Amino acid sequence: MTQEQVLEIKNNPNYQKLVNTRSKFAWTLTIVILVVYYAFILFIAFSPETLGAKVNPDAMMTVGIPVGIAIIIFAFALTGIYVKRANSEFDGLLANLKDDIEKGMK
Amino acid sequence: MLSRFLSLFIIAGLAIAMAAGADLGAGTKAEELNVPAIVMFLLFVAGTLGITYWASKRTKSAKDFYTAGGGITGTQNGTAIAGDYMSAASFLGITGMVYLKGYDGLIFSIGFLVGWPVILFMISEQLRNLGKYTFADVTAYRLKQKQVRILAALGSIAVVILYLIAQMVGAGKLIEILFGLDYEIAVVLVGALMIAYVAFGGMLATTWVQIIKAVLLLVGTTFMSIMVMSEVGFSFDVLFTKATEIHSKGIEIMSPGGLVSDPISAISLGIALMFGTAGLPHILMRFFTVADAKEARKSVFVATGLIGYFYILTFIMGFGAIVLVLGDPAGSYLAADGVTLKGMNNMAAVWLAHAVGGDYFLGFISAVAFATILAVVSGLTLAGASAISHDLYANAFATGKVDEKKEMNVSKMATVGIGIAAIFFGIAFEEQNIAFVVALAFTIAASANFPVLFMSIFWKKLTTRGAVIGGYIGLVSALVLVILGPVVWTSILGNAEAIVPYKFPAVFSVPLAFIAIWFFSITDKSDDAQRCIDEFDAQDIRCQTGIGADGAVDH
């Protein structure tokens, strides 16, 4: 890739939109999963009795079990959300960018 | 080539038959010979050697060998990644932990899982767009090849060897109990089979062995979980009530216990598990087997779903084992002391298989456990061999001027070398406490491999000096902190109190590596540093778009 091509792609609006929206989205989701996970860890460290409380007086199930299972499902759901948006929106922008580059070369 | 396979297969069969004969003669020396397990295992070996033969005909170029020609689909790759992650350690270890400690087992599962979304958002597509065969292709993209490759290869080989030791020792012990084979024979058998898979079948065989095993494991564990739930009328409350009545810890198994006692340990464990996963060479390598970034992201989606599902099953199986194995009226699964399980407490999942499905299902699960070990060690061996042939030989020392054929031969020799080393270490470490090796492998992956990889993708001002010094600081600090920690310093060296009270010291070594990378990069005023910075934009465009990426599919 020559320096001119690099500059040209960097200044392409489709490229800028792709990079900006995708990195913002990726970082947001990363922060979300980190916050959820470390909140869970801090509960375990500082307040295990919260997770050990029964969901209702007659049940044996404790709060921690549905919470734990929910985190597993949530992590999977986040990957699904990312893949869905990447497959439609981000890949669409990428296709536009590749079109622009091809036109530029003609 | 076919005759070589056949003779290997016959040797394997003979080894089992001989060991069986020896055991029958010796009477009560080992566990009883498990005939259904051996039959099913031989079927698996026959099938996978058939696949290896098929794969060997399709493995011609270096690209075929390292990445299966890039023709693996996202779903297949995701299943293989899940297979790499569902090692015998997680199948037996996590079920065993739930069986022993209840809720704490779930905490570990969650820590192992949450790294995957982060890998998807930050690493997977970037790797696919920038790399070719190993993750060092990415870290060395714009830095000086030689130094960065050597660092990455050392980090990879260290992780691979440590992980292999853990798997080999675990395999030997497990096979001794399940199949009634001698420990040494079991270790040699595992080593010989993995050399055959990798050396002849390369990544294609390794991937398919992993996929088959992952499917077998998921089918088996699903069946066990359904049987457990049907035993309690599909009511979790009944399952938990029965479990708390039987378990000696009673109601305590329903809430977080002593596993994660203080915040620093908890966070450190989280960092090691999360970022360690993103630095495991045998996992990272799988992203090069798919055609493009789109398939790479699909891989992670599939892998996360399968791994998450599997962890939920291990939780059900652990509680099921409390009710059906520990609570077995005849006490037939307990050792002579009436408290621990026959074999070891890690055997909860295996005895549960017997409790819900009798001898034949026990045989099936035993064979699957053996297959799991084989598949995981094969992936590790391939990653280690690639680090030696592609990073050290072809790029660091021969500076890219070797032909493919030579590089492939070196990687096959490296495969044999690593296999023999693994057999040797497996036998040498038989009586050793190997709990530390997994902690060390994850800590090195998180502290030496991950920071350099992450910074090389995202940070423009990274220079060769920063990456190399920071990487070595991460590697050495991980090593030193684990040695001074509770597993080595206290348990193995017998000192009274650990100097570093954390089993996974990643909370210190990972930031240290990042700070060192940052500091030694920004103070680097050499010409090469400026070149590294100048070349970032072109790298970033390829990373973001895949334009110019080596199309993994053959045209």
Side-chain angles (χ1 to χ4, degrees):
Chain A
M1 213 176 280
T2 64
Q3 205 52 41
E4 293 80 58
Q5 282 173 310
V6 168
L7 275 176
E8 195 188 319
I9 294 178
K10 267 184 83 176
N11 292 323
N12 182 299
N14 278 318
Y15 178 75
Q16 288 168 348
K17 196 173 170 209
L18 171 71
V19 171
N20 290 337
T21 48
R22 183 170 59 192
S23 59
K24 208 170 139 193
F25 189 53
W27 279 103
T28 309
L29 292 182
T30 302
I31 290 166
V32 168
I33 190 76
L34 288 176
V35 166
V36 167
Y37 176 58
Y38 282 104
F40 176 66
I41 288 290
L42 291 178
F43 265 108
I44 292 166
F46 288 110
S47 176
E49 60 280 1
T50 311
L51 293 170
K54 291 183 175 183
V55 287
N56 69 56
D58 307 323
M60 194 34 97
M61 178 85 78
T62 50
V63 175
I65 291 167
V67 166
I69 305 286
I71 294 175
I72 291 178
I73 295 169
F74 181 69
F76 177 53
L78 278 190
T79 63
I81 291 168
Y82 177 84
V83 169
K84 194 156 192 284
R85 188 164 174 200
N87 280 348
S88 51
E89 190 182 333
F90 302 147
D91 281 357
L93 285 168
L94 186 58
N96 293 346
L97 171 67
K98 284 181 176 165
D99 281 348
D100 291 346
I101 294 170
E102 257 176 44
K103 273 180 216 146
M105 283 195 289
K106 274 174 195 165
Chain B
M1 183 92 57
L2 180 66
S3 60
R4 264 197 271 177
F5 280 121
L6 282 177
S7 55
L8 194 82
F9 186 51
I10 292 166
I11 290 168
L14 277 179
I16 289 179
M18 264 160 40
D23 271 345
L24 288 176
T28 54
K29 192 192 136 263
E31 295 291 321
E32 283 168 52
L33 192 67
N34 185 338
V35 176
I38 291 179
V39 170
M40 276 182 256
F41 176 70
L42 286 179
L43 282 176
F44 175 84
V45 171
T48 47
L49 285 177
I51 286 172
T52 307
Y53 176 68
W54 165 80
S56 70
K57 304 203 126 182
R58 278 156 189 78
T59 300
K60 302 215 156 53
S61 64
K63 187 184 201 163
D64 295 332
F65 183 78
Y66 293 123
T67 68
I72 305 288
T73 68
T75 308
Q76 289 165 352
N77 190 41
T79 313
I81 290 174
D84 269 328
Y85 219 56
M86 298 183 293
S87 62
S90 34
F91 171 48
L92 301 174
I94 292 184
T95 311
M97 199 188 281
V98 175
Y99 167 81
L100 271 186
K101 297 180 172 170
Y103 190 78
D104 279 357
L106 186 63
I107 300 174
F108 244 83
S109 302
I110 293 171
F112 277 116
L113 186 76
V114 290
W116 282 101
V118 179
I119 289 179
L120 172 64
F121 308 145
M122 296 287 152
I123 302 277
S124 61
E125 296 176 51
Q126 288 80 354
L127 268 180
R128 174 58 271 179
N129 282 343
L130 288 175
K132 206 172 155 200
Y133 300 150
T134 63
F135 81 90
D137 292 335
V138 181
T139 55
Y141 192 86
R142 66 194 153 103
L143 307 181
K144 270 195 185 150
Q145 292 284 330
K146 188 167 183 171
Q147 292 154 303
V148 177
R149 293 266 183 191
I150 293 173
L151 166 71
L154 285 179
S156 300
I157 294 166
V159 173
V160 163
I161 292 287
L162 290 167
Y163 229 101
L164 269 176
I165 293 174
Q167 296 286 336
M168 285 306 238
V169 174
K173 296 242 162 91
L174 185 72
I175 293 164
E176 199 171 27
I177 296 164
L178 292 181
F179 294 84
L181 286 180
D182 275 343
Y183 179 89
E184 285 82 7
I185 293 176
V187 168
V188 172
L189 195 62
V190 170
L193 283 169
M194 92 188 176
I195 290 173
Y197 292 151
V198 177
F200 297 123
M203 184 53 116
L204 189 58
T206 307
T207 301
W208 278 104
V209 169
Q210 196 60 271
I211 291 173
I212 292 171
K213 159 251 157 159
V215 172
L216 290 175
L217 184 59
L218 286 169
V219 169
T221 48
T222 301
F223 173 74
M224 274 156 79
S225 304
I226 292 173
M227 292 303 281
V228 166
M229 291 313 289
S230 78
E231 201 71 34
V232 293
F234 292 94
S235 157
F236 280 105
D237 249 26
V238 176
L239 176 67
F240 295 144
T241 309
K242 280 193 173 174
T244 49
E245 283 164 3
I246 291 164
H247 204 286
S248 61
K249 289 199 175 105
I251 193 91
E252 281 177 36
I253 57 171
M254 299 303 295
S255 50
L259 179 69
V260 187
S261 44
D262 66 290
I264 296 185
S265 288
I267 291 169
S268 199
L269 175 73
I271 291 176
L273 296 185
M274 189 176 246
F275 300 134
T277 306
L280 294 176
H282 63 299
I283 301 260
L284 295 175
M285 201 176 169
R286 290 220 171 273
F287 290 108
F288 304 120
T289 66
V290 293
D292 52 28
K294 186 173 181 155
E295 293 300 309
R297 70 173 88 103
K298 192 174 170 193
S299 312
V300 188
F301 174 68
V302 172
T304 310
L306 293 178
I307 296 167
Y309 171 69
F310 175 74
Y311 282 152
I312 293 174
L313 296 185
T314 59
F315 190 65
I316 296 174
M317 289 190 296
F319 272 91
I322 296 173
V323 174
L324 298 171
V325 174
L326 186 62
D328 180 59
S332 44
Y333 303 110
L334 298 179
D337 63 3
V339 185
T340 49
L341 288 175
K342 269 187 200 166
M344 46 188 163
N345 277 321
N346 267 354
M347 298 298 283
V350 173
W351 300 137
L352 178 65
H354 188 262
V356 301
D359 281 342
Y360 284 92
F361 191 65
L362 172 70
F364 175 76
I365 286 294
S366 304
V368 169
F370 198 165
T372 295
I373 291 165
L374 268 182
V376 171
V377 293
S378 303
L380 285 165
T381 303
L382 181 58
S386 312
I388 291 172
S389 60
H390 183 63
D391 295 333
L392 283 184
Y393 171 73
N395 284 298
F397 294 118
T399 54
K401 287 186 211 93
V402 284
D403 67 281
E404 262 190 33
K405 215 168 181 116
K406 232 173 169 183
E407 186 179 332
M408 255 173 95
N409 283 337
V410 171
S411 58
K412 287 181 180 183
M413 287 193 286
T415 302
V416 177
I418 291 173
I420 291 170
I423 293 172
F424 172 76
F425 283 129
I427 292 171
F429 280 78
E430 180 184 354
E431 302 300 333
Q432 305 296 314
N433 177 344
I434 53 149
F436 76 99
V437 297
V438 175
L440 190 55
F442 262 85
T443 309
I444 289 177
S447 318
N449 300 349
F450 173 73
V452 177
L453 179 63
F454 186 86
M455 292 297 250
S456 70
I457 293 172
F458 290 102
W459 195 43
K460 182 171 183 163
K461 291 182 180 156
L462 176 71
T463 71
T464 305
R465 189 177 84 167
V468 170
I469 296 179
Y472 281 116
I473 285 180
L475 186 65
V476 171
S477 62
L479 205 61
V480 170
L481 290 170
V482 170
I483 289 172
L484 298 181
V487 224
V488 177
W489 195 254
T490 316
S491 306
I492 294 178
L493 299 177
N495 294 301
E497 201 150 324
I499 297 169
V500 180
Y502 307 109
K503 192 176 160 195
F504 292 89
V507 73
F508 306 109
S509 55
V510 174
L512 196 62
F514 272 108
I515 291 168
I517 291 171
W518 168 78
F519 180 76
F520 290 103
S521 291
I522 55 156
T523 54
D524 187 354
K525 301 293 175 208
S526 62
D527 292 345
D528 182 64
Q530 195 52 48
R531 185 193 57 78
C532 292
I533 295 167
D534 290 342
E535 287 181 13
F536 178 79
D537 283 346
Q539 177 199 308
D540 195 41
I541 287 173
R542 174 161 156 182
C543 172
Q544 300 277 1
T545 63
I547 293 171
D550 173 66
V553 178
D554 285 321
H555 295 291

